[in-house]
Amino acid sequence: MAAEVPDHSRRGMVVAPAKRKSKRFAFACAMLASMTSILLGYDIGVMSGAAIFIKDDLKISDTQVEILLGILNLYSLVGSYAAGFTSDWIGRRYTIVFASGIFFVGALLMGFAVNYAFLMVGRFVAGIGVGYALMIAPVYTAEVAPASSRGFLTSFPEVFINSGILLGYVSNYGFARLRESLGWRLMLGVGAIPSVFLALGVLAMPESPRWLVMKGRLGDARRVLDMTSDTPEEAQLRLDDIKAAAGIPEGCNDDVVPAPKNQGGRVWRELLLRPTPAVRRVLLTAVGIHFFQQASGIDSVVLYSPRVFEKAGIHDKNKLLGTTVAVGFTKTLFILVATFLLDRIGRRPLLLSSTGGMILSLAGLGLGLTLIDHHLDGQLPWAVGLCIASILAYVAFFSIGLGPITWVYSSEILPLRLRAQGASIAVAVNRVTSGVITMTFISLYKAITIGGSFFLYGGIAALAWVFFFTCLPETRGRTLEDMEDLFGTSRDTKDATNGVEMANASQGNEKI
């Protein structure tokens, strides 16, 4: 009797979700992993307000403030680069624990800082932890989540970034009434507390099934897939696809098999030195969406929102910090809305409508600030209202599309053999762009006016819309392995697998 051939014709089709406990388990895993992103969000939110008090207490200049706020993004490059190697070495789960530990140390150093240099050391350590967390959380979530709810679950890192920003704003508002030298230190130091609970909680999670397959632990991977897939058939299909991507023969079904040869050096060559057209397209897409997410000015709005509101005519410190809480609340509310729309509407419609709304909001903010700047006494109530409404609209549009979709899309289009290193490159571009934007904002608005700076961000957002419209296909409902057919990397995977098999065969002949 002929052997039964697995039916792979379902690839590319929307997987109908089944009501099983597996969804709740996958939800819990994604939530725990994504909570590491709260560390970055808290740092962004808390530094926006703490910078006001740090500048007065430590007597630092505007240039030093720019560096202090933006340098963490460049420091995080070390973490995001190392996370690709670390996650392939010790696993996705323990990499998350490691990230939490690093950030814990960094937060304590910042909280106990006695001068600017000490504070910068704390920023360096915390930045490494942030880089780890940013790279590993979406990768782990994408590898655990079933296709039917991957958009919902993979958007969790952005949800927790926004939750962290809101907590940072609330911390600013709560500690602002303390003595100046004590208040900002408590704002920064309490950021160490969440990392302890995160590290302990992550230990209850299973390891990524794709990492387990890469280590030859098929039995463990099968058990994790059974717990996180919608149906047993989907679990088997996902396992077959992962095995094929890892170069393990389809008929090899033992619980433990020889691990595929580590091809880390080959991966970097394939990504950067000799990429195929398909790999180049995937990498440019992932890098492009990360670049435009930050180049459109989101961190300038979030980190410098007290300064922007001050330019708009609000001068009382408590009112400034209170208004920033409204920004954090708006971001968090709309990111929660986005999580329920990603797998219903799709990535592409949300991304295009989100970016279009951001363009209009930035134009409104630039107009309002320009009018206030040119008004004789700087008092123009309707323009102040326009600025506040534009900022709230901007963060709402960002959070409903470009914010979460960047992490969802970039983590799901990279093929297995390139995923960890490709994600680390994308995160590095994200952090470098954010660092450049935040470390130049004050200098930029002094050179071209604060209204002009937001007109510039609006122009970049318009370029982003064109890029998304022309280069990003819809990925809703597709398995991670289907992406290889969508972007044309499946042929590359087959060639790589054939190369490994030929190498193994030649080694066997030599032994004979």
Side-chain angles (χ1 to χ4, degrees), residues 193-223:
I193 297 174
S195 60
V196 176
F197 295 101
L198 291 176
L200 295 176
V202 167
L203 293 176
M205 293 163 28
E207 185 50 82
S208 157
R210 286 171 176 78
W211 184 82
L212 292 171
V213 169
M214 289 168 63
K215 296 300 178 182
R217 296 163 56 182
L218 300 187
D220 291 337
R222 189 178 295 110
R223 283 186 285 274

Side-chain angles (χ1 to χ4, degrees), residues 439-450:
M439 291 173 69
T440 58
F441 178 70
I442 296 176
S443 302
L444 179 67
Y445 81 63
K446 286 181 178 179
I448 64 172
T449 75
I450 192 164

